[in-house]
RNA sequence: CGGGCAGUAGCGCAGGGGCUAGCGCACUUGGUUCGGGACCAAGGGGUCGGAGGUUCAAAUCCUCUCUGCCCGACCA
């Protein structure tokens, strides 16, 4: 490709609002352009990178037996009503009606569609196992898109779906994905870790997320440096210490202006761990068959030295959605905000008690009276509720596997894998006849990779002051040919030669100064730069620089450029191949 | 959905009742330069996000509205 004809142009200054380095550079290099909030066009350079990522994905999916198909973005709402997600998913899924008034949705994922296909195709155990995948546009009306391609509303996703006759088969396909995903990300050059995760709206039990660790990430990952335990904070557990002692009798105590645990413990001269903290949320419960909605107040109780993990609370309460309760909603349940506890609360509130509280005694808790707390509150005696782990893991807490201190860091989720089980085959009636003659639901798995987000993470990982430094397998071109000589014939000829040899060349044939050309080459970040200039040509050489190390200058012979260029490409490719991560799930 | 900020040339920004709306970069033409974002000269490009209002006069003040960004809620 000749630079003089490239559709996009480079920007000298970062557009305002480009808050992360990677996003800024993708914009400045002309890889992407924004159309609306969370809606981006991929320009030719960006699309070339995306196509390369997609090729890696296809190769690895094919390698584990995947068959590519393509499902429609627009679905009749019927199948979404069958699984209940038409009702349980809120505004994140966009809906409309066609001309005759039929309910339609923009599919935000394809479990419904693929299960519908499978129930027509799969009738016998002889047709299992199966694995299909697609690279398809998803629309999710995220309430808050941000950070360029990291969190968007329209995006391309690789999603695959496995079908098995039993759980052993599912586990096998799950493990195949576990390994394939590490291969995909590492082949693209992106370092990732797999963490245990919540299954969220997907349903199912076992799930992993692939995280690219980055300070701009929105997920918090809890890790144990000692034994390798990793989990999303949403599900991460830790070892709690309990404080058991003989129960003492309940005692009201005046605690003016003690609306926080900090103020309370200072006022009473006690440690936060001797208090119980209450969090009030309103949970929305949606009946999956009728779509009927009901709101109930949820009280989460955790010991004062910990925080509540809202995701855990939501799961335990089995709510479809949670939001903080308004003070008047709390009061309506006979609870006093700031001095609240389940003691004496209305009957219809859902009380969830962290095991740290249930197993500790004589904690200070709210008296549901402005300015007063109780000493010696005890679960089981003074109030009841569901006991579960709803505490949020954090830096320094004890690892659930080895007891050593945990650490936390931020990450971006680039992929995930779920063991769905029969969540969708049950509700959509996707069954097969097994060897024993019985009809059984197909066992499913679902596996996703955000393609654009992967590119965004790569841009985040690979850059320097001057621009992008993309690895060879995902760079839009392999070679950037910069011609600084007036006589364009030499450059044109070299360009032709390289192209004919199958090398992907970006050829800067513009009538620009050397500085402009180098600056653009730095910005675009094509891994290998060939510079055609008088300096080296006098010696019959072409100057070579690798984008990732501009200090070092190499050279190849002017009269035999193709073979030597190919050798450099091969060596860069080999560097990546040597780093391909092989990890298996035990 | 709450809180904050911002919409003026392709990009980054200035101007905040008064004549023809400006600067840098980018763009066009001519010339000089030619290995790290060159120089000189001459140009082109704007219904100042939209609607309504106040005023002799509105990019500027007021009201409404749309859009984008940031924080939070939210989020596979």
């Amino acid at each position: 490709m000749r630079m003089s004809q490239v559709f996009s142009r480079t920007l000298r200054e970062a557009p305002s609002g480009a808050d992360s380095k990677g996003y800024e550079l993708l914009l400045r290099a002309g890889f992407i352009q924004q159309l609306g909030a969370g809606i981006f066009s991929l320009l030719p350079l960006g699309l070339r990178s995306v196509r390369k990522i997609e090729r890696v994905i296809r190769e690895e999916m094919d390698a584990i037996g995947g068959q590519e198909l393509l499902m429609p973005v627009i679905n009749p709402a019927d199948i979404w009503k069958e699984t209940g997600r038409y009702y349980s998913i809120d505004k994140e899924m966009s809906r409309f009606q066609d001309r005759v008034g039929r309910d339609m949705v923009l599919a935000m994922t394809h479990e419904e569609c693929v299960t519908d296909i499978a129930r027509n195709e799969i009738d016998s155990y002889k047709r299992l196992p199966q694995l299909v995948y697609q690279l398809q546009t998803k629309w999710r009306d995220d309430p808050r898109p941000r950070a360029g391609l990291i969190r968007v509303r329209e995006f391309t996703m690789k999603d695959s779906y496995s079908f098995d006759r039993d759980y052993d088969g599912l586990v096998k396909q799950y493990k195949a994905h576990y390994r394939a995903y590490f291969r995909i990300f590492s082949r693209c050059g992106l370092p990732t870790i797999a963490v245990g995760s919540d299954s969220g709206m997907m349903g199912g039990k076992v799930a992993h997320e692939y995280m690219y660790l980055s300070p701009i990430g929105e997920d918090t990952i809890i890790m144990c440096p000692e034994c390798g335990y990793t989990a999303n904070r949403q599900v991460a557990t830790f070892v709690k210490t309990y404080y058991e002692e003989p129960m003492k009798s309940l005692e009201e105590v005046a605690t003016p202006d003690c609306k926080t645990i900090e103020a309370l413990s200072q006022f009473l001269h006690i440690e936060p761990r001797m208090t119980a903290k209450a969090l009030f949320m309103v949970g929305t419960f949606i009946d999956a068959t009728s779509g009927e909605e009901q709101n109930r107040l949820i009280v989460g109780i955790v010991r004062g030295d910990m925080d509540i993990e809202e995701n855990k609370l939501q799961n335990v309460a089995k709510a479809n959605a949670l939001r903080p309760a308004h003070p008047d909603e709390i009061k309506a349940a006979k609870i006093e905000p700031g001095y609240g506890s389940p003691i004496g609360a209305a009957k219809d509130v859902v009380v969830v008690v962290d095991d740290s509280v249930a197993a500790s005694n004589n904690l200070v808790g709210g008296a549901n009276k402005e300015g007063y707390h109780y000493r010696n509150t005890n679960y089981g005696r003074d109030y009841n509720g569901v006991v579960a782990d709803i505490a949020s893991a954090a830096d320094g807490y004890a690892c659930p596997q080895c007891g050593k201190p945990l650490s936390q860091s931020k990450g971006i989720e680039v992929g995930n894998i779920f063991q769905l089980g029969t969540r969708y085959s049950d509700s959509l009636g996707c069954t097969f006849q097994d060897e024993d003659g019985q009809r059984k639901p197909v066992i499913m798995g679902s596996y996703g990779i955000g393609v654009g987000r992967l590119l965004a993470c790569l841009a985040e990982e690979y850059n320097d002051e001057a621009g992008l430094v993309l690895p060879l397998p995902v760079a839009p071109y392999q070679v950037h040919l910069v011609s600084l000589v007036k006589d364009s014939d030499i450059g044109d000829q070299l360009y032709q030669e390289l192209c004919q040899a199958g090398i992907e060349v970006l050829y800067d044939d513009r009538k620009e100064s050397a500085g402009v050309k180098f600056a653009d080459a730095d910005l675009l970040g094509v891994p290998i730069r060939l510079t055609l200039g008088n300096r080296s040509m006098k010696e019959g050489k072409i100057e070579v620089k690798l984008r990732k190390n501009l200090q070092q200058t190499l050279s190849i012979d002017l009269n035999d450029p193709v073979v030597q260029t190919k050798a450099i490409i091969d060596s860069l490719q080999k560097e990546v191949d040597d780093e391909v991560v092989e990890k298996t799930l035990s």
Side-chain angles (χ1 to χ4, degrees):
Chain A
M1 185 70 203
R2 288 172 181 268
M3 276 284 266
S4 59
Q5 301 185 355
V6 168
F7 180 72
S8 58
R9 60 173 163 187
T10 56
L11 299 173
R12 198 175 288 206
E13 284 173 289
S16 65
D19 40 1
S20 79
K21 191 76 189 166
Y23 178 28
E24 175 195 324
L25 291 173
L26 287 173
L27 286 168
R28 284 187 52 211
F31 277 49
I32 57 174
Q33 201 177 101
Q34 184 171 14
L35 180 63
I39 307 176
F40 286 83
S41 298
L42 280 171
L43 303 184
L45 290 171
L47 183 61
R48 285 186 69 96
S49 279
V50 163
R51 288 285 182 253
K52 292 191 172 186
I53 292 169
E54 290 176 345
R55 193 168 70 198
V56 169
I57 292 173
R58 286 193 168 96
E59 285 174 8
E60 294 298 335
M61 292 313 297
D62 291 348
I64 60 170
Q67 300 173 59
E68 186 171 2
L69 49 58
L70 192 62
M71 292 180 271
V73 177
I74 290 172
N75 290 186
D78 305 25
I79 49 175
W80 289 80
K81 288 175 179 170
E82 280 188 69
T83 61
R85 288 209 289 185
Y86 186 77
Y87 309 108
S88 63
I89 297 173
D90 199 28
K91 289 180 184 157
E92 198 181 347
M93 182 161 71
S94 295
R95 300 138 212 259
F96 65 98
Q97 295 186 334
D98 70 4
R99 59 198 299 161
V100 267
R102 281 181 289 248
D103 287 331
M104 310 296 271
V105 305
L106 292 180
M108 41 193 292
T109 174
H110 282 82
E111 281 78 15
E112 277 77 2
C113 184
V114 81
T115 309
D116 177 73
I117 295 171
R119 68 180 165 183
N120 292 319
E121 298 297 333
I122 295 169
D123 45 18
S124 157
Y125 73 94
K126 291 176 189 165
R127 298 177 58 86
L128 293 171
Q130 284 292 346
L131 175 62
V132 292
Y133 73 96
Q134 67 172 349
L135 288 145
Q136 177 63 294
T137 300
K138 302 280 190 272
W139 168 262
R140 294 182 188 180
D141 198 356
D142 192 301
R144 191 170 164 210
R146 70 183 86 167
L149 293 186
I150 300 284
R151 194 169 149 185
V152 291
R153 296 195 293 170
E154 194 199 277
F155 58 100
T156 301
M157 183 176 188
K158 185 292 297 177
D159 44 329
S160 43
Y161 305 92
S162 65
F163 302 92
D164 284 278
R165 62 191 289 200
D166 52 30
Y167 278 88
D168 285 349
L170 168 62
V171 169
K172 217 170 148 189
Q173 299 230 48
Y174 188 84
K175 285 182 175 173
H177 277 84
Y178 185 90
R179 180 170 168 275
Y181 272 33
F182 273 116
R183 288 186 54 87
I184 288 167
F185 297 129
S186 58
R187 280 184 64 187
C188 292
L190 190 73
T192 56
I193 61 168
V195 309
S197 74
D198 184 43
S199 50
M201 73 166 181
M202 306 297 302
K205 286 273 183 297
V206 181
H208 283 87
E209 289 170 338
Y210 287 75
M211 293 287 183
Y212 163 61
L213 297 182
S214 161
I216 67 166
E218 296 187 88
D219 285 288
T220 301
I221 300 145
I222 302 293
M223 297 181 285
C224 176
E226 201 67 32
C227 74
Y229 171 80
T230 52
N232 193 309
R233 169 136 83 187
Q234 293 179 329
V235 296
T237 57
F238 58 99
V239 180
K240 295 167 191 167
T241 43
Y242 300 144
Y243 301 100
E244 293 170 86
E245 52 185 50
M247 281 192 214
K248 299 181 203 161
S249 54
L250 211 56
E251 181 188 322
E252 196 176 276
V253 54
T255 51
D257 295 320
C258 290
K259 291 197 171 194
T260 63
I261 293 295
E262 198 189 356
L264 179 67
S265 49
Q266 273 179 18
F267 183 81
L268 294 176
H269 304 291
I270 55 173
E271 289 175 45
R273 67 176 176 82
M274 299 167 74
T275 67
K277 184 192 287 185
L279 182 72
F280 306 99
M281 307 290 289
V282 170
T284 307
F285 299 83
I286 299 164
D287 188 305
T289 42
S290 67
E292 263 176 59
E293 218 176 287
Q294 197 194 350
N295 282 336
R296 292 178 73 185
L297 188 74
I298 298 171
V299 183
I301 312 285
V302 73
R303 226 173 43 213
D305 55 334
M306 300 173 188
D307 283 315
I308 287 182
E309 170 53 49
E310 286 177 24
N311 188 70
K312 289 183 182 178
L313 179 61
Q314 181 176 340
N315 286 344
V316 172
K318 296 190 175 69
N320 293 80
L322 282 191
R323 63 164 170 81
H326 299 297
D328 41 327
E329 289 171 321
I330 299 172
K331 283 182 179 163
K334 298 185 188 155
I335 296 171
E336 180 61 33
Y339 302 89
S341 76
I343 302 173
K347 290 275 176 291
D348 60 342
V349 302
V350 180
V351 179
V352 182
V353 183
D354 188 66
D355 54 304
S356 62
V357 170
S360 297
N361 296 110
N362 303 329
L363 302 176
V364 173
N368 288 328
K369 191 163 128 189
E370 170 83 38
Y372 288 89
H373 280 84
Y374 283 127
R375 285 187 197 273
N376 308 325
T377 70
N378 285 284
Y379 169 79
R381 182 189 68 183
D382 306 318
Y383 59 94
N384 278 293
V386 181
V387 177
D389 167 38
I390 55 167
S392 183
D395 240 342
Y397 286 17
C399 172
Q401 284 180 11
C402 72
K404 295 278 175 4
L406 293 165
S407 68
Q408 67 182 59
S409 46
K410 291 287 181 183
I412 301 167
E413 179 191 352
V414 289
N416 55 35
I417 54 179
F418 291 106
Q419 293 186 12
L420 293 177
T422 59
R423 162 73 179 84
Y424 296 94
S425 42
D426 276 339
S427 51
L428 286 163
C430 178
T431 59
F432 67 100
Q433 197 170 17
D434 210 347
E435 238 170 327
D436 56 11
Q438 299 291 307
R439 281 231 150 256
K440 296 174 183 171
V442 171
I443 314 295
M444 293 176 57
S446 136
Y447 318 84
I449 291 176
V451 177
R453 186 179 277 187
L454 179 44
L455 176 63
C457 290
L458 286 164
E460 214 59 58
E461 175 73 9
Y462 294 102
N463 66 67
D464 61 20
E465 282 310 300
L468 295 167
V469 194
L470 292 176
L472 182 81
V474 295
Y477 291 89
Q478 299 171 317
V479 170
H480 196 135
L481 174 59
V482 179
S483 173
L484 301 178
V485 291
K486 278 199 211 76
D487 178 6
S488 62
D489 287 352
I490 303 168
D492 287 2
Q493 198 192 324
L494 180 56
Y495 171 57
Q496 294 296 346
E497 250 178 274
L498 294 170
C499 286
Q500 276 159 20
I503 299 168
E504 299 171 21
V505 186
L506 184 59
Y507 170 37
D508 198 341
D509 59 335
R510 298 174 301 173
K511 291 179 176 40
E512 288 288 352
S513 70
V516 170
K517 291 183 176 183
F518 285 135
D520 277 344
D522 292 347
L523 177 58
L524 297 179
V526 172
I528 300 163
R529 181 181 313 168
L530 302 186
T531 306
L532 211 48
N534 295 324
R535 205 186 269 175
S536 54
M537 273 166 61
K538 272 187 291 194
E539 293 150 31
K541 300 279 189 188
I542 300 167
E543 184 181 295
V544 179
K545 283 193 179 196
L546 300 183
R547 177 61 184 87
K548 63 182 179 185
N549 183 6
L550 293 176
Q551 272 68 47
Q552 190 183 13
T553 305
L554 312 166
S555 69
I556 57 175
D557 291 329
L558 187 54
N559 46 27
D560 182 26
V562 170
V563 173
Q564 294 180 55
T565 303
K566 275 193 160 168
I568 297 170
I569 292 171
D570 290 345
S571 74
L572 286 181
Q573 181 63 51
K574 187 168 182 302
E575 280 177 27
V576 177
D577 291 344
D578 288 346
E579 295 295 312
V580 169
V581 175
E582 290 289 350
K583 272 192 198 170
T584 49
L585 186 61
S586 49

